[in-house]
Amino acid sequence: MTPCTEEPFEVNPTLCPCDRSLPFEDCCAPLLAGRKLPERAVDLMRSRYCAFALGLVEYLLQSWHPSTRPVDLDLSDDPTVWESLEILEYTKGSQQDQRGTVEFRARYRQGIQSGAMQELSYFRREAGRWLYVRGEIRTEGPSSPPGRNAPCPCGSGLKYKRCCAV
């Protein structure tokens, strides 16, 4: 994979956006920087989530299969703040496979609205490299903000009033 030439990205230096329990440098940073290729389809899915969260359009386009890749992708005016990723299920997609699927749920915020998108993504491995082919949206939509004392939908474990409502 060609290293991205986009500006360096700013994130919490210790936590990866795709999985709050892994250090960013040990998880998706090497993939996003082009220092390493995803070994499995689920690894590509996680790195693409990070690329969306960080606005890394070049990485998204490079990891998209040429048969379905859009000509252009503009995230510059996108108000979406991606808050958490949950991998629900994946099939195949290992180093021995040529195809794989990953079903995930991504939680997001747009202003005071929060929501979740669930997708079944299809991946293909070509020349030793995993590529995103397409996705089927299963559920999507914003919801009303939770009550102030409700658990925060970002998955932090804190009450909404002490987390994302601030």
Side-chain angles (χ1 to χ4, degrees), residues 21-166:
S21 65
L22 295 173
F24 181 61
E25 199 51 49
D26 295 339
C27 191
C28 290
L31 306 175
L32 296 170
R35 296 190 308 263
K36 180 179 172 188
L37 289 174
E39 294 179 5
R40 305 172 302 158
V42 70
D43 299 330
L44 179 60
M45 172 59 240
R46 288 183 173 284
S47 68
R48 285 179 56 84
Y49 170 84
C50 288
F52 270 107
L54 301 170
L56 301 176
V57 172
E58 190 175 330
Y59 181 84
L60 291 167
L61 292 173
Q62 286 179 1
S63 61
W64 215 309
H65 193 275
S67 68
T68 58
R69 179 188 308 140
V71 174
D72 188 33
L73 182 62
D74 183 8
L75 300 177
S76 61
D77 291 333
D78 187 359
T80 306
V81 175
W82 295 100
E83 296 184 325
S84 67
L85 174 68
E86 177 184 3
I87 302 297
L88 302 173
E89 181 178 6
Y90 58 94
T91 58
K92 299 199 175 196
S94 72
Q95 290 181 331
Q96 293 77 32
D97 298 312
Q98 297 303 310
R99 297 179 190 274
T101 63
V102 179
E103 187 166 2
F104 69 92
R105 181 178 300 118
R107 298 196 186 283
Y108 63 87
R109 188 169 22 106
Q110 292 176 331
I112 63 166
Q113 296 280 324
S114 62
M117 179 187 93
Q118 187 170 324
E119 178 179 306
L120 177 62
S121 296
Y122 295 85
F123 298 88
R124 188 177 303 157
R125 186 174 158 100
E126 292 185 356
R129 187 172 157 220
W130 282 106
L131 297 166
Y132 170 79
V133 178
R134 66 182 176 89
E136 294 174 4
I137 304 294
R138 298 288 176 100
T139 59
E140 181 176 22
S143 59
S144 299
R148 291 179 47 73
N149 289 320
C152 191
C154 77
S156 67
L158 299 173
K159 290 184 179 182
Y160 179 66
K161 69 182 178 185
R162 300 221 183 267
C163 190
C164 292
V166 179

